[in-house]
Amino acid sequence: MLTERQLLILKAIIDDYVCHAEPVGSRSVSKREDMNFSPATIRNEMADLEELGFLEKPHSSAGRIPSQKGYRYFVDHMLSPTMLTKNEVADIRLMYEEQFVEFEKLIQQSAKILSSLTSYTSIVLGPELFESTLKQIQLVPISKDSAVAIIVTDTGHVENQTVTVPGGFDVREIEKIVNILNDKLQGVPLIHLRHKLSTEIRKVLSKYVDQYDQTMEMLNQMFRQSHNEKVFYAGKTNILTQPEFNDVNRVRDLFNIFEEDQLISKHFRSEQHGMKIKIGEENEFAPFDDCSIITATYSIDGKHLGTVGVLGPTRMEYQRVVGVLDFFSKDLTKVLTKRYQNNN
Amino acid sequence: MLTERQLLILKAIIDDYVCHAEPVGSRSVSKREDMNFSPATIRNEMADLEELGFLEKPHSSAGRIPSQKGYRYFVDHMLSPTMLTKNEVADIRLMYEEQFVEFEKLIQQSAKILSSLTSYTSIVLGPELFESTLKQIQLVPISKDSAVAIIVTDTGHVENQTVTVPGGFDVREIEKIVNILNDKLQGVPLIHLRHKLSTEIRKVLSKYVDQYDQTMEMLNQMFRQSHNEKVFYAGKTNILTQPEFNDVNRVRDLFNIFEEDQLISKHFRSEQHGMKIKIGEENEFAPFDDCSIITATYSIDGKHLGTVGVLGPTRMEYQRVVGVLDFFSKDLTKVLTKRYQNNN
DNA sequence: TTTAGCACTCGGTCCAAGTGAGTGCTAACA
DNA sequence: TGTTAGCACTCACTTGGACCGAGTGCTAAA
């Protein structure tokens, strides 16, 4: 519904504003190479674009800035993602080089690379464990009445949890229980562990184990932990170089949210595969009103695992970030799949 | 060397400045309850205190503010730590209630409590592993050529590391190796693991294991990890409410340091037991120039473990923070010792 | 339909005057 | 001799007016 020329002008204004963070006047638009109209003509078009809601004016004698709707239109209809350079691809590949670095470290590294490639803040959600299945359980006695329960998943993720060991249990007894657990629970999705425990395991244990009640108590402790996905940040301070965050109060509001991993994780988690772009107030939290968030998902062998995301000002280099995230998420998926597809 | 009256005035000025963050004038000092001198007299004393280096003037017609030396004198000679209220002690105790929460969670909680008690930023260093000893090693196969190595310490700390498994190893072979490791390495301080590996273990393995070279390669991967202590922060944004951090550039400099756990850990780590106060430029890093850092240590059974610390502006409530940290670190030590003293 | 011209708007900067909190110094007082 | 009242002085901060300039909207001509 926009004319060719309007598109051209809208794009020019967004380009300029993204780069300089200052209202763009008709004169400076007219000076662009590909722009063959006088400032007056452009002023007319700008007035129209403003009426349509794609631009706004900070005050009557200033230039125009893109509105949220303007960015949205740009993203939906005019976005051509920037390709990565060879060097950038090489930088990413370098990360995978240390071949058997732990999963968590890899994810953490991912966050660092994303923030350095985009110069925004990156937020990466660790594997969502509810799709992972149990590989093995271990119980290591620590003191006379406590032990560390260790749960390993098929993706190599390790969780541990201190539990109280009922008095009078000896090593053999514990071994027996652990064997039963491993026998019955291997391959069970973590999210079903508690349910299995209170049904099947319950029955088996009541047959073979002496101190049934205390044992169940211990196992409940073991699986009590809610398997929260971890949140990794990198380049948190990048956002502070943006002029829209010159006000410390805003910074505080934003960083307060960063301290709530739970909130962030909920907000970033993406159910369906693929890229998602949330602009300004499309985000749930008020401190994100001047921010845009772009997320993509990564998976192993088609199994949805987690989310990689970049947070920047609404005045963000969308093409660049979309380009980076698209490449990166797919590449990460490829690497992870290759590494973990041979399960069992 | 300071007169009674000078002490009184110095303390009054520090009190006032800590509270209001603005230069303190002679008039407002003279109005305090316990102050029976006219502004003129106080002005004379203030001039003397300035000459001695305990006070400074932002400009000629402003009141005085305490200098770094002033704070130092106050801390060294006039500090009477505030006791915690019953409610505050109760809050702390509440934290220990969930009795067998993991060690790491406990430490993380500690950071939260400290920051909420002081309204400053708290930084807590997790256990310094070099004093921990090995409790048990586990090796869990994940895919056909990789496994997760899990290391449990006597303090219930768990580390894990993905390793490449030499082709052709079967479960029994791995079990044998793990058994040898556990047999030879139990009780060995983590810091000596690598050394032991390249001496004793080497010999034993060459006798009992088939694919010696590949096995050594795997074990090297296993112990490659440098056992860095983790750093936990809480209330990072508290510092942003302080007027000295109204400037975003300062905030950025400070938060940049927060992103470098390594640096922080080095700077906060305390070799000897007890409380340490670093005021302003006594800190190593320029972004801390307007900050003071107070740290205390916690231990298990006399064995030095880690550090709890609070970071605030130089204009900090020293008495309060020292009171809180003193109580907290001792209490934490007590609880941890009680929980883990029964090792074997 | 496009453009040149022109009056107008309005935030930002500069400057001068005024304000007030605070100081240092001096002289008088107890 | 130590303390205090008084007074001139300093200086950051606020206020308001003048000015500047980037940018606009409108109108009329090309």
Side-chain angles (χ1 to χ4, degrees), chain B residues 154-173:
Chain B
D154 57 342
T155 54
H157 178 89
V158 176
E159 291 208 9
N160 59 289
Q161 170 81 37
T162 312
V163 298
T164 321
V165 178
F169 266 32
D170 68 351
V171 179
R172 193 154 309 168
E173 191 77 14

Side-chain angles (χ1 to χ4, degrees), chain A residues 179-194:
Chain A
N179 283 340
I180 292 176
L181 289 179
N182 276 318
D183 191 40
K184 295 287 172 193
L185 293 179
Q186 228 159 59
V188 171
L190 292 200
I191 201 173
H192 294 146
L193 282 184
R194 301 188 64 160

Side-chain angles (χ1 to χ4, degrees), chain B residues 82-133:
Chain B
T82 323
M83 298 296 276
L84 298 192
T85 67
K86 274 186 187 170
N87 280 337
E88 290 166 342
V89 172
D91 280 353
I92 295 178
R93 292 283 154 76
L94 208 65
M95 177 180 86
Y96 305 132
E97 199 130 282
E98 261 211 51
Q99 215 183 344
F100 274 92
V101 83
E102 302 157 81
F103 192 97
E104 275 205 3
K105 286 244 173 83
L106 189 69
I107 297 300
Q108 201 165 8
Q109 277 290 20
S110 299
K112 277 195 187 153
I113 287 207
L114 279 177
S115 77
S116 87
L117 281 177
T118 60
S119 11
Y120 298 120
T121 300
S122 81
I123 300 180
V124 176
L125 303 193
E128 293 172 24
L129 294 173
F130 62 85
E131 281 205 35
S132 304
T133 62

Side-chain angles (χ1 to χ4, degrees), chain A residues 1 33 52 101 117 136-137 139 152 154 164 194 218 227 237 289 291 314 340:
Chain A
M1 80 219 208
E33 274 197 0
L52 291 167
V101 82
L117 281 177
Q136 192 167 332
I137 290 179
L139 204 59
V152 184
D154 56 342
T164 322
R194 301 188 64 160
M218 178 178 82
H227 305 284
T237 53
D289 279 358
C291 296
T314 32
Y340 291 107

Side-chain angles (χ1 to χ4, degrees), chain B residues 200-239:
Chain B
E200 281 185 46
I201 306 296
R202 180 174 221 116
K203 278 184 216 155
V204 182
L205 281 181
S206 62
K207 263 189 232 164
Y208 296 105
V209 174
D210 293 341
Q211 294 168 276
Y212 172 75
D213 284 339
Q214 289 106 310
T215 307
M216 278 308 287
E217 164 62 22
M218 178 178 81
L219 297 183
N220 272 323
Q221 280 181 28
M222 205 155 139
F223 297 135
R224 174 182 50 183
Q225 198 173 23
S226 57
H227 306 282
N228 280 324
E229 62 215 274
K230 282 202 180 164
V231 184
F232 300 93
Y233 302 87
K236 271 188 197 173
T237 52
N238 284 350
I239 199 92

Side-chain angles (χ1 to χ4, degrees), chain B residues 252-264:
Chain B
R252 200 177 51 235
D253 289 346
L254 185 65
F255 278 50
N256 272 334
I257 292 199
F258 284 164
E259 295 215 344
E260 302 283 342
D261 282 2
Q262 294 276 7
L263 283 185
I264 289 286

Side-chain angles (χ1 to χ4, degrees), chain A residues 130-131 154-155 270-274 297-306 329-330 332-341 343:
Chain A
F130 62 85
E131 282 205 37
D154 56 342
T155 54
S270 199
E271 303 304 340
Q272 72 269 52
H273 285 241
T297 54
Y298 64 92
S299 43
I300 288 182
D301 223 359
K303 196 162 73 176
H304 176 61
L305 258 194
S329 62
K330 285 177 182 160
L332 181 60
T333 293
K334 227 185 297 171
V335 169
L336 288 178
T337 299
K338 192 167 152 209
R339 188 180 299 180
Y340 291 107
Q341 70 191 342
N343 283 344

Side-chain angles (χ1 to χ4, degrees), chain A residues 58-107:
Chain A
H59 58 86
S60 76
S61 71
R64 302 298 207 294
I65 60 174
S67 68
Q68 193 173 306
K69 189 176 165 191
Y71 287 121
R72 174 48 67 193
Y73 190 90
F74 173 73
V75 162
D76 287 347
H77 300 97
M78 308 158 67
L79 198 75
S80 54
T82 323
M83 298 296 276
L84 297 193
T85 68
K86 274 187 188 170
N87 279 336
E88 290 166 342
V89 173
D91 279 353
I92 295 179
R93 291 284 154 73
L94 208 66
M95 177 180 86
Y96 306 132
E97 199 130 282
E98 259 211 53
Q99 215 183 345
F100 275 91
V101 82
E102 302 156 82
F103 191 96
E104 276 205 3
K105 285 244 173 81
L106 189 69
I107 297 300

